[in-house]
Amino acid sequence: MAFPSIEQVTKSPAFPTAIWKLEPHRSGLLPVAADRGGPLNISWEVHGDGPVKLILIGGIGLAKADWQPQTVYFGHERGDRFSVLVFDNRGAGASDKPVLRYSTSEMARDLLEVLNHLGWTAERQLHVSGGSNVEVGGMIAQELAVLAPERIASLNLHCTAAKLEQTGTFAETVGRLGALFPRTLEVEIRSTAEGCFPPSWLAGPDSLELPSARTPRCEVPAGGYPRFESNYARFAAHEMHMRRSRNGFLLQAVAGGFHRKTAEQLHELADRVGRERIMVLHGTEDRMIPVDHGRKLIEYLSPGKGLIEEGLGHAPIYQRARWFNELLEERCELGEKLSGR
């Protein structure tokens, strides 16, 4: 497809509104890892004040605002039912970006300290969703389930892996690794878009559901949130606003590259969490983490729900936001039922 240039995207009337103004119910900056090479500060927000506790764990470079479609759906439109935690992993967003060795297990321990700070410590209380953008969110979710399996009400892994494996052609592998090397912003955004989304979706009209004047705790511009000309234009605008940390991205990538969970370890994880509480989702059009990774996770975990979704790319949180949100809501409600609530 013919992508609009960065200059063209920035001239769109919608460009200034790509990041929505969502007011959290609680927020803070928590020092963690005092005895693990820190302290370092983790930026967090809770949207909604309902009894169902949902945690959204982002992948490499992702920050709180990357979960906008889910934050609105669960924490604002359904905020009387859900409390949604969004946070910036070490190396991303407003959290500290120390130059040291990162690991998915250490990042899960950072999150556990935030959860303890919030008082989300009860058995079978946590609904965990992790994945998208080069899989690290799902890897952190696996490590959180290892650390505190008795606290997991539902575990939802999407577009992630037990470990990264050499799959596909040499050109495809080099293309994925290219995200780790310096490039112009134009090339970087286009490459990321092509890795995360099917071309037909990128070329299609801006399809994201937008907040309205009826959305609780959301500042809406006069005339409402405007639309971009295409899904690609909205994605590009969002990426330009986020200004991701190059050093943090590289350090998180190292953590993802060294993540390893064997079939035996995942079998034990599933035993302790409960297979009926686990969902694995992967798309056939995922060019970042090829679908065979998802099939292996399903084989190792034998989850209550395993989905290989035709036509889905690496970021269902954007590409099929409404469908993904409803699926995650269904999994949360099942977890609540299994927990006797």
Side-chain angles (χ1 to χ4, degrees):
M1 65 167 289
F3 291 106
S5 68
I6 283 179
E7 182 179 3
Q8 289 172 320
V9 172
T10 57
K11 289 180 178 178
S12 168
F15 181 77
T17 68
I19 306 299
W20 304 336
K21 295 183 179 181
L22 303 174
E23 181 186 355
H25 287 70
R26 303 168 62 187
S27 62
L29 199 63
L30 181 70
V32 303
D35 57 350
R36 296 183 287 110
L40 58 97
N41 291 310
I42 298 295
S43 176
W44 60 270
E45 295 176 356
V46 173
H47 294 252
D49 56 4
V52 180
K53 313 301 186 187
L54 174 60
I55 306 155
L56 304 176
I57 309 176
I60 295 178
L62 293 195
K64 298 183 291 291
D66 288 298
W67 292 100
Q68 285 184 149
Q70 289 68 47
T71 303
V72 167
Y73 184 91
F74 290 100
H76 292 256
E77 296 174 350
R78 292 159 181 78
D80 58 343
R81 175 65 175 158
F82 291 90
S83 293
V84 183
L85 172 64
V86 289
F87 68 103
D88 298 335
N89 284 309
R90 59 168 73 187
S95 290
D96 287 348
K97 303 166 185 67
V99 180
L100 48 81
R101 172 71 181 274
Y102 291 12
S103 70
T104 52
S105 59
E106 285 299 302
M107 295 162 82
R109 288 183 174 89
D110 296 344
L111 172 56
L112 197 60
E113 290 192 47
V114 175
L115 295 170
N116 292 342
H117 171 75
L118 293 174
W120 294 11
T121 58
E123 287 193 7
R124 302 300 182 186
Q125 186 180 38
L126 306 176
H127 297 275
V128 180
S129 177
S132 293
N133 204 36
V134 204
E135 89 293 313
V136 164
M139 294 175 172
I140 296 169
Q142 294 167 41
E143 297 289 2
L144 180 66
V146 169
L147 290 171
E150 73 287 347
R151 290 163 67 172
I152 305 297
S154 71
L155 178 64
N156 305 285
L157 307 173
H158 44 98
C159 311
T160 189
K163 66 176 181 178
L164 289 180
E165 301 189 20
Q166 183 71 27
T167 59
T169 67
F170 177 76
E172 288 170 337
T173 300
V174 170
R176 292 197 297 273
L177 292 176
L180 305 181
F181 300 108
R183 298 178 291 184
T184 66
L185 182 60
E186 188 100 47
V187 171
E188 184 174 314
I189 290 175
R190 291 186 183 188
S191 177
T192 301
E194 290 174 330
C196 288
F197 304 104
S200 59
W201 184 84
L202 290 171
D206 180 7
S207 58
L208 194 63
E209 293 186 23
L210 304 175
S212 71
R214 298 186 300 275
T215 303
R217 301 175 72 93
C218 177
E219 183 180 331
V220 178
Y225 279 99
R227 290 203 170 275
F228 289 87
E229 292 185 356
S230 66
N231 286 318
Y232 173 79
R234 176 171 291 281
F235 175 77
H238 185 94
E239 289 297 296
M240 281 186 270
H241 278 284
M242 294 305 292
R243 298 181 180 179
R244 306 188 193 281
S245 164
R246 172 66 60 181
N247 287 343
F249 188 100
L250 291 170
L251 291 165
Q252 290 185 357
V254 169
F258 281 92
H259 177 85
R260 296 287 187 277
K261 281 288 173 282
T262 65
E264 292 75 20
Q265 287 172 322
L266 289 172
H267 184 87
E268 181 181 358
L269 181 158
D271 282 343
R272 298 183 69 189
V273 170
R275 283 173 177 76
E276 66 275 26
R277 298 179 183 271
I278 301 174
M279 177 183 74
V280 176
L281 167 66
H282 217 108
T284 60
E285 298 298 314
D286 190 335
R287 296 179 61 194
M288 288 287 190
I289 307 299
V291 67
D292 284 350
H293 290 81
R295 292 193 174 103
K296 285 194 174 183
L297 262 185
I298 291 172
E299 176 188 345
Y300 296 161
L301 287 167
S302 298
K305 195 176 191 73
L307 289 176
I308 302 297
E309 191 69 15
E310 288 293 328
L312 186 66
H314 186 63
I317 63 176
Y318 300 126
Q319 183 188 344
R320 298 186 188 174
R322 166 64 67 164
W323 173 84
F324 177 83
N325 292 344
E326 291 176 350
L327 177 62
L328 184 56
E329 184 176 19
E330 172 190 304
R331 299 304 300 175
C332 290
E333 295 301 343
L334 175 62
E336 290 294 290
K337 182 178 178 181
L338 292 171
S339 303
R341 294 188 289 272

